[in-house]
Amino acid sequence: MKKVLSVLLVLVMLALASAALADTSYTATVDSQIGGVDAVTATVTLADDGSIVSVTVDECKDTPGICDAAVKTIPEQMVALNSINVDTVAGATMTSEAILNAVKTALEDGGVDITALSEKKEIVVEKAADEQLSADVVVIGAGGAGLAAAISAEQNGAKSVIVVEKMPKVGGNTILAGGALNAVDDRSETAVKQNDSVYWHYYQTLNGGDWQGDPELVMTLVSNAWDGVQWLKDMGMEFNEDAIFTVTGGLWERAHKPVMPAGTGFFDTYTKYIDAHSDVITLMLNTTAEEITTDESGRVNGIVCTGETGNTVTIVANSGVVVATGGFAKNVEMRQVFDTIWGNLDETVKSTNHEGATGDGVKMMQKLGADFVQMGNIQLLPLGDPQTGSLSGNIEHNVETRVFINKEGERYCDEGGRRDDMTNALFAQTDNFMWIVMDSDTYPTGDELNNFGETANQLVEAGRAVKADTLEELAEKMDVPADKLIAVITEYNRHCEGGDLEGQPDEFGRTLFATPIDDGPFYAAGRVPTVHHTMGGVHITTSAQVVSETGEIIPGLYAAGEVTGGIHGANRLGGNALTDTVVFGRIAGASAAAAK
Ligand code: ADP
């Protein structure tokens, strides 16, 4: 009997072993538009009948926090649908495409016939029952302003907060931003050293926006900015303490740089806080607010959403609703309707924005009779990726260390100027194209990160930047006349070194000259104009209450961030948008918690 059992056991083990052996794994490494060469490695395992057993993303060099949703969702969908032809994940399209490519390449390289596995399949989701929820404060949008508002509501006494986010991930445009925020501590040595003050920040914000900004809102922004930085630090967010710098179009050295790349540091901080306070704050992803509701007195009392499965989710707001839906730079129709600055912002002009920036908050609040200000003020940047319009791939660290060079090999504007001036100047260049040029001061070896978590060498390998030991070689790679480039850089360096400049100001009016571009390796990366920030929006008070067309406060309705207008005027200072999300997000959350 014992012998029979042993034989059986051996047979079972052999059967199991052969079943395991029948599974075959295939691995490939591919480039990604974000992470560059060899950025994504994926392994797909097939059973002997050819069905997908598992898919893993073994490595992904794309920006963490931005690519996470694709790394999680694409493998899950491939296994669930037994297909390698699944939908990309909204908000993480480029990473999705790289993963899809890695899996396909792995199978093809392994000689697998992928015809059957390539059949397009979509997940059929069964519609869940409609839901009725309630919370003291309801926030629409889990970008920078929305999550700041949710946390602030909790900190100011709300017993329950629900945040709805239509995308499968938090972050909005904020997570894609360069990450730096302007703030001045009047009492600090740094402010004295930089000749800066809260008042100078106030003046520059108003002046830089052609005095269209509301002075009270601007004063609220600048005078609460430093406290906002402290608030972030208190929650554990880390900043590069010694690196106060000028963001492009920021006009002054007052930007604080988070340690984590792009805007990921904000969301790392916010989501940790929310996880630790999950008894109060609930985050609902894939949930789209469609309508803001009011009671018979006209007070806002909740929202109606489409839930993850297409079901209706109705949420009652006991104290208030905060609209933090961001801007509309991805809504070409709205861009064309509202723009009063550029003349044509059709689809040929790309955008830095994430797909969810479609102006939903504007549409919902229009129905409530809210007042909108300066909707025509749309900000473009001269810093878009030539293929996608994105900010990623931008090699500059700050204004101080780089120049802009056109296809003729010439400088053409004040690279320390206003964003609108620099973008207008770029539109006047051949093919609306320029190179950002810098040297080893920024990237001593090329393995250092840019503001988006990419190394210069990765960008070079991915063909998104060029690198050379000499300016002659750089000019060749940029396809510009070497003599021209060398002459232009020599003149620029003369200004940096404070050479013989008596009576010879920079021909484009640049005054910010710091480090000469004279030490290889040299770097250059191409950039084009791109739609970045919709500066107009809903009219708010300094308490973030929404104002109606007739000038009254709409009770129970608050707004913060890019969906609001009247702060940045005709031109936003670089580094002020993240400050806006922190300052007005906090105010909106506190006002909503207090049902102000
Ligand atoms: P801000 O900088 O003002 O915070 P962001 O772009 O960072 O703006 O964030 C706005 C967020 O709002 C995005 O994550 C976006 O997907 C989300 N959002 C936009 N419209 C809706 C909607 N109708 N329902 C839920 N979330 C929305």
Side-chain angles (χ1 to χ4, degrees):
M1 183 61 185
K2 205 173 171 185
K3 199 170 171 191
V4 174
L5 275 178
S6 312
V7 171
L8 270 176
L9 193 64
V10 169
L11 285 175
V12 169
M13 283 169 70
L14 278 174
L16 284 174
S18 69
L21 281 177
D23 291 352
T24 313
S25 295
Y26 306 87
T27 300
T29 300
V30 299
D31 303 347
S32 119
Q33 225 178 332
I34 302 175
V37 174
D38 293 346
V40 172
T41 301
T43 299
V44 51
T45 302
L46 303 185
D48 60 352
D49 64 359
S51 60
I52 299 175
V53 176
S54 69
V55 176
T56 54
V57 178
D58 310 317
E59 181 170 30
C60 179
K61 290 186 193 155
D62 292 4
T63 318
I66 298 174
C67 66
D68 296 352
V71 170
K72 180 173 178 293
T73 308
I74 299 276
E76 281 173 3
Q77 287 198 13
M78 285 181 168
V79 175
L81 296 169
N82 195 36
S83 168
I84 60 166
N85 188 0
V86 300
D87 284 338
T88 56
V89 175
T93 315
M94 284 186 249
T95 305
S96 302
E97 280 164 0
I99 298 171
L100 291 169
N101 184 24
V103 171
K104 184 164 173 266
T105 307
L107 293 173
E108 282 176 343
D109 289 355
V112 177
D113 177 359
I114 59 166
T115 317
L117 290 176
S118 299
E119 199 186 316
K120 175 78 184 158
K121 292 198 184 148
E122 273 161 34
I123 290 197
V124 182
V125 190
E126 206 172 306
K127 198 168 168 183
D130 292 345
E131 278 182 273
Q132 309 269 349
L133 305 169
S134 77
D136 286 353
V137 173
V138 176
V139 179
I140 311 175
L147 293 193
I151 291 168
S152 166
E154 183 272 340
Q155 292 174 340
N156 285 282
K159 295 283 174 279
S160 52
V161 179
I162 295 179
V163 186
V164 297
E165 167 55 55
K166 69 175 176 176
M167 305 299 280
K169 63 187 193 57
V170 300
N173 279 336
T174 306
I175 205 166
L176 304 179
L181 76 166
N182 291 333
V184 187
D185 175 11
D186 258 347
R187 296 149 304 183
S188 69
E189 275 175 32
T190 317
V192 174
K193 204 172 89 204
Q194 317 284 17
N195 272 329
D196 204 2
S197 66
V198 169
Y199 185 77
W200 185 230
H201 188 191
Y202 168 77
Y203 175 86
Q204 285 199 304
T205 301
L206 277 173
N207 189 46
D210 291 339
W211 298 93
Q212 288 186 26
D214 175 332
E216 285 190 12
L217 292 179
V218 175
M219 184 47 85
T220 305
L221 175 82
V222 297
S223 57
N224 288 290
W226 182 247
D227 193 47
V229 172
Q230 294 311 308
W231 179 72
L232 293 166
K233 285 184 182 169
D234 287 347
M235 284 191 288
M237 185 161 163
E238 288 181 305
F239 289 85
N240 278 332
E241 293 299 342
D242 52 347
I244 308 296
F245 71 108
T246 313
V247 184
T248 289
L251 308 180
W252 210 257
E253 286 180 82
R254 63 168 69 94
H256 300 257
K257 190 167 158 37
V259 169
M260 289 182 71
T264 56
F266 292 87
F267 294 92
D268 185 60
T269 308
Y270 291 155
T271 50
K272 276 182 187 144
Y273 186 95
I274 290 170
D275 286 347
H277 296 82
S278 56
D279 52 330
V280 176
I281 308 175
T282 306
L283 182 58
M284 298 175 70
L285 300 178
N286 296 306
T287 305
T288 307
E290 310 282 359
E291 188 192 342
I292 299 167
T293 56
T294 51
D295 64 18
E296 51 293 341
S297 74
R299 184 179 178 87
V300 166
N301 65 356
I303 60 173
V304 180
C305 309
T306 302
E308 191 159 9
T309 62
N311 56 334
T312 300
V313 181
T314 309
I315 311 176
V316 171
N318 304 322
S319 302
V321 171
V322 177
V323 182
T325 44
F328 58 89
K330 272 288 190 184
N331 186 327
V332 173
E333 201 185 320
M334 283 178 80
R335 265 161 40 177
Q336 291 289 58
V337 167
F338 288 114
D339 165 48
T340 51
I341 295 180
W342 304 95
N344 179 23
L345 292 180
D346 67 13
E347 47 291 318
T348 58
V349 189
K350 299 185 171 66
S351 170
T352 59
N353 280 206
H354 83 123
E355 290 154 47
T358 48
D360 301 10
V362 171
K363 291 182 223 158
M364 286 186 276
M365 290 189 287
Q366 275 173 335
K367 292 194 184 132
L368 297 178
D371 186 34
F372 289 85
V373 288
Q374 298 159 9
M375 290 293 281
N377 290 349
I378 297 178
Q379 177 164 75
L380 269 66
L381 278 183
L383 302 173
D385 178 280
Q387 259 78 50
T388 63
S390 76
L391 281 178
S392 75
N394 180 6
I395 58 171
E396 69 173 21
H397 269 200
N398 50 41
V399 172
E400 288 84 351
T401 51
R402 48 69 171 153
V403 286
F404 298 165
I405 301 289
N406 64 17
K407 284 198 165 178
E408 286 72 38
E410 288 165 338
R411 279 185 61 220
Y412 61 89
C413 73
D414 170 8
E415 299 94 340
R418 287 167 48 138
R419 290 180 162 189
D420 52 356
D421 290 343
M422 288 186 288
T423 308
N424 269 317
L426 182 54
F427 271 123
Q429 306 309 307
T430 307
D431 299 333
N432 304 336
F433 180 93
M434 65 138 170
W435 295 94
I436 300 185
V437 175
M438 60 193 53
D439 73 356
S440 57
D441 281 330
T442 310
Y443 300 103
T445 68
D447 287 327
E448 301 77 17
L449 296 173
N450 65 2
N451 294 334
F452 303 91
E454 306 150 324
T455 72
N457 285 338
Q458 277 171 354
L459 295 174
V460 172
E461 283 166 21
R464 301 175 75 194
V466 292
K467 176 178 181 178
D469 288 330
T470 62
L471 281 173
E472 285 86 351
E473 198 190 328
L474 190 78
E476 199 182 318
K477 290 184 172 169
M478 292 162 65
D479 196 20
V480 301
D483 51 347
K484 196 69 88 35
L485 180 68
I486 291 167
V488 161
I489 299 287
T490 306
E491 173 65 7
Y492 169 81
N493 289 347
R494 213 162 61 84
H495 282 279
C496 293
E497 284 150 2
D500 176 24
L501 297 174
E502 196 74 16
Q504 297 175 47
D506 175 55
E507 63 175 310
F508 305 105
R510 177 164 170 161
T511 50
L512 259 178
F513 292 98
T515 45
I517 299 174
D518 58 357
D519 242 339
F522 299 93
Y523 302 85
R527 297 277 107 183
V528 297
T530 183
V531 185
H532 184 51
H533 189 107
T534 48
M535 298 173 290
V538 74
H539 180 175
I540 55 166
T541 67
T542 52
S543 300
Q545 297 153 301
V546 174
V547 180
S548 76
E549 280 166 335
T550 50
E552 284 123 34
I553 282 158
I554 301 179
L557 187 61
Y558 310 86
E562 196 178 340
V563 74
T564 67
I567 297 172
H568 308 293
N571 170 67
R572 178 173 66 75
L573 260 51
N576 269 0
L578 294 179
T579 310
D580 182 0
T581 65
V582 173
V583 169
F584 282 98
R586 288 180 75 191
I587 293 174
S591 292
K596 205 168 182 175

